[in-house]
Amino acid sequence: MYITAAVLSVLLALVTLAAGAPKSLLKGDVSAGLQSHMGLSTGLVRFIGLAEVAAAVGLIVGLFWQPLGIAAAIGFAITMVGAVGFHAKAGDYADPATRGNAMAPFILIVLSIATAVTLGLAM
């Protein structure tokens, strides 16, 4: 079970780091889109990015101390629930052009929960 937990943790950590680093630095199209399309402030975009980077660190450290990994996975899932809410508020699920990208948080919620469960079982 530990190998599964490790694979899921590393995979989720890579995704969260890749998503969070540009937001925390306010670089790239995603940060600009969150500000213009979603109406988020610069500070909130940076905060979300830093939370995602912190989740990545927590997931890697959680390989050695599972309670931290579980907390990081659950925290990231909660962040993605917020992302679903923002996408719904912006009408992204009704628009076929934006629906595909807006579905990513659902997939990441499932991956986060799977990671938390496997880390818990590996203890």
Side-chain angles (χ1 to χ4, degrees), residues 23 29-42 44-45 48 79-93 98-99 101-105:
K23 289 177 199 159
D29 296 336
V30 173
S31 296
L34 288 173
Q35 292 172 12
S36 63
H37 178 65
M38 298 280 187
L40 302 180
S41 68
T42 304
L44 184 56
V45 172
I48 292 167
T79 303
M80 291 297 100
V81 169
V84 168
F86 276 106
H87 281 291
K89 182 179 174 184
D92 290 342
Y93 297 112
T98 58
R99 187 177 302 136
N101 287 337
M103 294 305 289

Side-chain angles (χ1 to χ4, degrees), residues 71-85 108-109 112-113:
I74 291 171
F76 183 68
I78 292 169
T79 303
M80 291 297 100
V81 169
V84 168
L108 293 173
I109 289 169
S112 297
I113 292 169

Side-chain angles (χ1 to χ4, degrees), residues 1-19:
M1 187 57 71
Y2 181 77
I3 293 172
T4 304
V7 169
L8 288 173
S9 293
V10 169
L11 178 64
L12 188 59
L14 290 172
V15 170
T16 58
L17 185 61

